């Protein structure tokens, strides 16, 4: 009986014990809450856990295991400056995620605002010490060059531009948290802004062509511009995809275009999604007129390209890739992505690439009388709207336009995984939609049967 009482007293004493150790971690109770104490890298660490003893014991056990293998503990973080964090973030996108150089360039420009804000504070501030509210106020007062040129008229950031900068900074701080550069158990400071409430009220309206305006636009175009803009109007391609379209990507007999990544030539589709686009008979006839019997090279070349003595008009894709390899072999630091991109751009230029800026300039000249906006992407908007007007299935629209599905399974959930579109179905539905603009197709046919188009 006495032994049972002694055992009971020991058990009660252990329950009332307010300090004990789990390996290298000391656990104790103080003012109704449980705390942890340990040394991490020679530094004393004390953390308040809460009122639940079981939670404190479990966390102490986890920390003890991490200390044993010299791994970072949950409460450890390495303070870092914004400039250094930005460098690591851009390097991660460029080398680990292999983001496009254009994307890395946009992220660099967006995060530069945060670096400039730190400099304006006049003192060294670590990333976790940045005041997001003051940064937003700084952005709203900031004047920038719309096109990035130093001589252009400066203006305030638009709401769309402000939201993009904050979204990139939010991504920057997500990266910082994963790299343990932020205090543990603290939320991303940019996540509390509720960026969805920042409405782009000052954004330019999207222009969508009607058949009559599309005819008026194309009627005044010369043969070179007509081929480019008719192609954009009847396929919904992106201007960059059209500029890098090779003759080898066309199957005019079957009536298809293959939009492919050209990694061997250092060019990729925006979403990396390769796809096929059906061609109607009128457009096939126009393309045959543009090619003029060529079997290789770019489908569309610069309007003055034929006058150059050094041009290489009919190089195949394999020949272009070989030329790129030869030039890279004679270039220092050719493993760097920026260097490779610059050399590849020279190869594309030498075979007659129509830069997307030239397409946009052509669009601006022709669109002025119709107040048709300032972006050739209006053709893509118009093509997608025409498919909507014709009640073309959502999956067919998504496949044809090359859009990235939202979420893991797309807009229709798991149904997207089990639904497959046959080529003949896609071709039939796209042609049915385009036949809703018969006068425009008649114009394309007449120009295809007329004089030279480029």
């Amino acid at each position: 009986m006495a032994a049972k009482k002694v055992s009971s007293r020991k058990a009660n004493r252990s329950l009332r014990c307010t300090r004990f150790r789990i390996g290298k971690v000391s656990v104790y109770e103080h003012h109704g809450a449980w705390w942890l104490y340990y040394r991490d890298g020679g530094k004393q660490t004390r953390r308040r856990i809460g009122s639940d003893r079981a939670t404190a014991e479990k966390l102490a056990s986890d920390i003890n295991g991490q200390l044993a293998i010299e791994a970072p503990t949950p409460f450890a973080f390495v303070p870092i400056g914004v400039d250094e964090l930005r460098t690591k973030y851009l390097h991660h996108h460029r080398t680990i995620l292999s983001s496009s150089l254009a994307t890395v360039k946009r992220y660099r420009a967006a995060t530069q605002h945060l670096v400039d804000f730190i400099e304006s504070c006049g003192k060294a501030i670590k990333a976790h010490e940045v005041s997001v509210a003051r940064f937003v106020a700084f952005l709203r007062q900031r004047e920038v060059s719309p096109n990035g040129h130093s001589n252009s008229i400066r203006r305030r950031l638009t709401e769309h531009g402000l939201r993009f900068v904050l979204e990139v900074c939010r991504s920057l701080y997500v990266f910082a948290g994963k790299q343990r550069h932020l205090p543990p158990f603290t939320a991303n400071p940019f996540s509390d802004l509720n960026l969805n409430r920042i409405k782009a009220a000052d954004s330019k309206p999207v222009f969508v062509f009607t058949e009559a305006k599309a005819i008026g636009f194309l009627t005044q175009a010369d043969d070179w511009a007509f081929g480019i803009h008719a192609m954009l109007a009847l396929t919904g391609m992106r201007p960059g995809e059209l500029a890098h379209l090779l003759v080898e990507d066309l199957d005019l007999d079957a009536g298809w275009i293959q939009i492919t990544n050209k990694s061997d030539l250092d060019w990729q589709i925006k979403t990396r999604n390769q796809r096929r686009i059906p061609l109607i008979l009128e457009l096939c006839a126009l393309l045959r007129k543009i090619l003029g019997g060529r079997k290789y090279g770019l489908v569309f070349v610069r309007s003055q390209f034929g006058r150059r003595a050094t041009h290489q008009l009919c190089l195949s894709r394999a020949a272009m890739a070989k030329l790129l390899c030869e030039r890279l072999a004679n270039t220092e630091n050719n493993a760097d992505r920026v260097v490779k991109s610059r050399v590849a751009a020279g190869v594309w230029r030498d075979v007659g690439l129509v830069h997307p800026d030239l397409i946009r300039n052509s669009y601006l000249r022709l669109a002025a009388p119709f107040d048709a906006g300032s972006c050739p992407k209006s053709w893509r908007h118009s093509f997608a709207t025409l498919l909507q007007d014709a009640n073309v299935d959502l999956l067919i629209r998504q496949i044809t336009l090359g859009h990235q599905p939202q979420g893991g399974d797309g807009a229709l959930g798991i149904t997207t995984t089990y639904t497959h579109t046959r080529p003949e179905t896609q071709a039939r539905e796209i042609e049915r939609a385009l036949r809703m603009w018969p006068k425009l197709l008649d114009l394309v046919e007449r120009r295809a049967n007329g004089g030279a188009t480029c």
Side-chain angles (χ1 to χ4, degrees), residues 30 39 64 70 77 94 101 104 123 171 177 187 230 252-253 258 267 282 333 353 355 368 378 399 403-404:
H30 181 64
R39 287 181 175 271
N64 181 61
E70 299 183 353
F77 83 102
R94 186 172 57 251
L101 294 178
V104 175
K123 60 180 181 179
S171 174
L252 298 181
D253 294 332
Q258 185 76 28
W267 182 83
E282 291 84 350
N333 198 20
L353 178 76
H355 196 277
S378 294
I399 291 171
H403 286 152
Q404 184 73 33

Side-chain angles (χ1 to χ4, degrees), residues 376-410:
K377 193 179 288 188
S378 294
W379 289 122
R380 187 168 167 84
H381 285 283
S382 303
F383 179 81
T385 303
L386 182 59
L387 299 188
Q388 168 69 21
D389 293 340
N391 294 320
V392 174
D393 182 78
L394 177 61
L395 290 178
I396 293 179
R397 279 183 270 161
Q398 189 179 76
I399 291 171
T400 305
L401 292 168
H403 286 152
Q404 184 73 33
Q406 295 296 321
D409 298 312

Side-chain angles (χ1 to χ4, degrees), residues 175-221:
F175 172 79
K178 293 180 179 179
Q179 299 296 316
R180 295 182 180 270
H181 293 311
L182 298 179
F185 306 110
T186 58
N188 186 331
F190 287 91
S191 298
D192 297 333
L193 291 177
N194 195 4
L195 298 179
N196 292 331
R197 298 191 62 182
I198 301 179
K199 305 298 182 182
D202 52 0
S203 61
K204 297 180 180 179
V206 175
F207 181 82
V208 178
F209 281 95
T210 62
E211 183 183 23
K213 288 188 176 181
I215 292 174
F217 182 102
L218 292 173
T219 299
Q220 61 178 345

Side-chain angles (χ1 to χ4, degrees), residues 408-417:
D409 298 312
L412 300 181
I414 198 66
T415 305
T416 306
T417 304

